Amino acid sequence: LKSNPSNNEEKEAQTQLTKSDELQRLHSQALSAYQQEDYEAAISLLDEILAVCVWDAELRELRAECYIKEGEPSKAISDLKAAAKLKNDNTEAFYKISRIYYQLGDHELSLSEVRECLKLDQDHKQCFSLYKQVKKLNKQIESAEEFIREGRYEDAISKYESVMKTEPEVPIYSTRAKERICHCLSKNQQPTEAIKLCTEVLQLEPTNVNALKDRAEAYLLEDMYEE
């Protein structure tokens, strides 16, 4: 206004000033909602602010936290990826993205994101610890799948048993391991064990197509055609 005190400029300046006051008010409300664990309300308020302040990394990180609490990991990843680009050396965002992918059972994407964190800071304790865990798990799964391709089913079973020991806390890895072990048992002419294990998987995931197919193969070996 001081540099260019024309009528038009004044109107524009007053509008922007009113808008910034409104955004500050929304920001206070969003923080308050977050602290009170009303994440849905916080997301709604942050949506309004981010429609105007598109390039604010902190606000995106806050909204990502809310999405995580609300059980919407893919939306959290989207905000964290934006925050990683908007803020230099944002190791925290890469760490969080890697952790979310890991919890979702996507060990390959988790590994690639945690590597980005370590490129920025090779001494980052949390990232290095996660990197070691994901790398070990990733290697075991790759090795097991290689054994399956080669028809070495006993070796693959043993390797998938190691996967369950490496990651006992995140259920998706145990379920996937059991699904693949059932496949190996079925291929290895061990129908009784295959049926038992595939049934376990299907109790957790009734629509798991791979487990249904492998159990069907095992039933065929046992001449249980109706099943």
Side-chain angles (χ1 to χ4, degrees):
L1 276 173
K2 280 177 183 166
S3 70
N4 201 346
S6 71
N7 279 348
N8 282 350
E9 294 285 341
E10 185 163 354
K11 269 186 198 153
E12 173 65 13
Q14 291 298 348
T15 308
Q16 294 288 4
L17 201 55
T18 310
K19 193 185 275 184
S20 72
D21 285 343
E22 169 69 1
L23 289 172
Q24 279 184 316
R25 188 179 62 75
L26 290 172
H27 188 212
S28 300
Q29 287 179 336
L31 287 174
S32 167
Y34 177 75
Q35 279 150 7
Q36 288 163 17
E37 298 181 11
D38 186 352
Y39 302 115
E40 204 177 326
I43 289 167
S44 170
L45 291 157
L46 289 164
D47 286 349
E48 280 189 69
I49 308 168
L50 279 159
V52 182
C53 308
V54 184
W55 313 114
D56 193 311
E58 269 83 8
L59 290 176
R60 286 190 178 274
E61 284 173 357
L62 182 61
R63 189 169 67 177
E65 283 299 313
C66 295
Y67 281 138
I68 290 167
K69 302 281 190 192
E70 283 289 287
E72 297 199 63
S74 56
K75 288 182 179 176
I77 286 171
S78 168
D79 266 344
L80 286 166
K81 283 192 169 176
K85 287 197 183 92
L86 291 166
K87 205 157 79 180
N88 283 342
D89 299 348
N90 197 344
T91 51
E92 197 56 31
F94 285 117
Y95 172 70
K96 283 178 181 169
I97 295 167
S98 177
R99 273 213 69 79
I100 295 171
Y101 277 134
Y102 187 72
Q103 296 292 327
L104 291 173
D106 201 328
H107 50 94
E108 287 167 339
L109 279 175
S110 175
L111 190 59
S112 102
E113 294 295 332
V114 79
R115 278 183 175 137
E116 291 301 317
C117 171
L118 290 170
K119 274 184 204 167
L120 296 171
D121 177 5
Q122 59 190 30
D123 299 322
H124 194 289
K125 277 188 182 159
Q126 285 176 306
C127 283
F128 187 64
S129 165
L130 181 61
Y131 170 71
K132 283 198 300 186
Q133 173 72 1
V134 187
K135 192 179 176 201
K136 183 180 177 184
L137 192 75
N138 198 52
K139 200 170 175 198
Q140 287 175 332
I141 293 170
E142 279 181 354
S143 170
E145 287 301 313
E146 185 61 34
F147 286 144
I148 289 173
R149 283 192 291 276
E150 291 169 2
R152 294 166 60 186
Y153 299 116
E154 292 292 338
D155 292 333
I157 289 168
S158 162
K159 196 56 81 172
Y160 267 119
E161 282 166 352
S162 302
V163 167
M164 290 194 276
K165 288 193 187 96
T166 299
E167 185 43 86
E169 303 296 320
V170 183
I172 193 160
Y173 294 109
S174 294
T175 308
R176 286 291 156 272
K178 285 177 181 174
E179 178 199 303
R180 298 305 278 155
I181 291 171
C182 166
H183 174 74
C184 294
L185 290 166
S186 175
K187 291 283 182 200
N188 211 31
Q189 310 284 307
Q190 293 169 267
T192 313
E193 296 91 330
I195 290 164
K196 181 172 173 284
L197 206 55
C198 270
T199 302
E200 264 185 58
V201 174
L202 287 161
Q203 279 163 352
L204 296 166
E205 297 179 352
T207 56
N208 186 317
V209 176
N210 292 329
L212 285 166
K213 287 196 298 186
D214 288 324
R215 190 169 67 174
E217 292 286 344
Y219 280 139
L220 284 175
L221 291 169
E222 292 281 82
D223 300 335
M224 296 165 76
Y225 300 118
E226 288 295 327
E227 286 83 345

